[in-house]
């Protein structure tokens, strides 16, 4: 089954404790992206990647890191989480329809992160 | 700055009522346009998309959207909503100039039986 998976689905942590949220897709998509969803603000893009070893900042990259060592995986790293990073995070992947533009994005189930 | 605006933040309808959700984007030039839906507790799913061609796009579950270039709009419509359409709806646009996909802030739709 074609899907985007994220782990963990729920995470409660404390300020400053490094964490990683994994994202994996099995559709051989070139494009992958991380979003955070906050009430009244919709989805905002954190980072995206057009292909292996190619990553770029989205609209709200501060406090986050990503890596794309393999096509299927795109982990989101919070080196020193802070309470303002409490949010619902979605990973998404997509084919690139006409480079470098994306086609339909397929979203993971979300990771609800709480930073105390 | 490029942006996507959804002016209806919260819409409440009775079943069988008609729906129109507004979406405006601020980009110039060629754009790809999308509507995504998020049912309660679920992830986002694509409703429909516009890349080129016929500006009236039909999607899943009876939804359609019309691209009006002169108005920079891509409004979502459904002639008769159902209780199961209760969800949050997001418009998104990608400019060919920047290849960034930007989402609107979403519209929460509640449909009462």
């Amino acid at each position: 089954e074609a899907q985007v998976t994220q782990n963990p689905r729920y995470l409660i942590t404390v300020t400053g404790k490094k964490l990683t949220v994994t994202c994996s897709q099995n559709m051989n998509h070139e494009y992958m992206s991380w979003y955070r969803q906050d009430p009244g603000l919709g989805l905002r893009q954190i980072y995206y990647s057009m292909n292996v070893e190619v990553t770029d900042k989205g609209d709200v990259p501060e406090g986050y890191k990503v890596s794309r060592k393999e096509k299927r995986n795109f982990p989101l790293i919070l080196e020193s989480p802070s309470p303002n990073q409490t949010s619902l995070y979605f990973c998404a992947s997509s084919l690139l329809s006409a480079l470098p533009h994306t086609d339909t994005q397929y979203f993971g189930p979300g990771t609800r992160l709480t930073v105390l | 700055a490029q942006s996507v605006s959804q002016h209806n933040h919260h819409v409440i309808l009775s079943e069988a009522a008609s729906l129109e959700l507004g979406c405006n984007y601020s980009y110039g030039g060629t754009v790809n346009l999308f509507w995504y839906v998020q049912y309660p507790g679920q992830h986002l799913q694509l409703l429909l998309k516009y890349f080129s061609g016929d500006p009236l796009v039909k999607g899943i579950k009876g939804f359609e959207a019309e691209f009006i270039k002169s108005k920079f709009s891509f409004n979502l419509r459904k002639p008769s909503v159902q209780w199961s359409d209760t969800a949050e709806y997001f418009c998104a646009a990608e400019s060919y100039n920047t290849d960034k996909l930007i989402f609107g802030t979403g519209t929460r739709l509640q449909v009462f039986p």
Side-chain angles (χ1 to χ4, degrees), chain A residues 49-70:
Chain A
S49 169
M50 291 289 192
N51 215 324
V52 174
E53 302 291 3
V54 180
T55 63
D56 219 335
K57 294 179 180 179
D59 294 314
V60 289
E62 295 77 20
Y64 304 94
K65 284 174 55 176
V66 292
S67 70
R68 188 90 181 274
K69 293 186 170 60
E70 306 162 283

Side-chain angles (χ1 to χ4, degrees), chain B residues 53-69:
Chain B
D54 188 344
L56 185 61
V57 179
K58 294 196 184 300
I60 60 170
K61 304 190 181 190
F63 285 91
E64 65 178 32
E66 186 174 12
F67 170 54
I68 304 179
K69 191 173 181 178

Side-chain angles (χ1 to χ4, degrees), chain A residues 9-10 37 88 90 108-112, chain B residues 37-45 86-88 108:
Chain A
R9 295 288 313 281
Y10 301 91
Q37 183 180 13
L88 179 60
F90 288 101
T111 295
R112 189 165 291 282
Chain B
V37 60
Q38 186 178 29
Y39 297 104
Q42 296 188 27
H43 59 280
L44 280 81
Q45 306 167 46
T86 294
E88 191 152 16
R108 184 172 298 278

Side-chain angles (χ1 to χ4, degrees), chain B residues 67-79:
Chain B
F67 170 54
I68 304 179
K69 191 173 181 178
S70 60
K71 295 185 178 180
F72 297 89
S73 70
F74 189 55
N75 292 355
L76 182 71
R77 299 195 292 248
K78 185 170 184 178

Side-chain angles (χ1 to χ4, degrees), chain A:
Chain A
E1 181 191 353
Q3 59 182 354
V4 178
T5 57
Q6 293 178 229
N7 281 292
R9 295 288 313 281
Y10 301 91
L11 179 59
I12 301 174
T13 190
V14 296
T15 299
K17 186 175 180 182
K18 181 179 178 179
L19 66 92
T20 299
V21 184
T22 64
C23 173
S24 183
Q25 50 93 5
N26 62 0
M27 295 169 279
N28 203 35
H29 286 166
E30 299 95 345
Y31 182 95
M32 296 186 75
S33 181
W34 276 102
Y35 299 89
R36 59 178 289 174
Q37 183 180 13
D38 302 289
L41 298 176
L43 274 82
R44 294 177 293 168
Q45 191 175 49
I46 302 170
Y47 269 94
Y48 64 99
S49 169
M50 291 289 192
N51 215 324
V52 174
E53 302 291 3
V54 180
T55 63
D56 219 335
K57 294 179 180 179
D59 294 314
V60 289
E62 295 77 20
Y64 304 94
K65 284 174 55 176
V66 292
S67 70
R68 188 90 181 274
K69 293 186 170 60
E70 306 162 283
K71 199 171 188 179
R72 61 182 293 128
N73 296 324
F74 191 46
L76 179 70
I77 303 154
L78 284 72
E79 294 271 3
S80 183
S82 62
N84 65 13
Q85 292 177 299
T86 292
S87 187
L88 179 60
Y89 291 86
F90 288 101
C91 179
S93 74
S94 164
L95 287 170
L96 291 175
S97 58
L99 275 173
H101 309 293
T102 63
D103 205 304
T104 304
Q105 295 209 18
Y106 293 84
F107 285 82
T111 295
R112 189 165 291 282
L113 172 65
T114 302
V115 184
L116 302 173

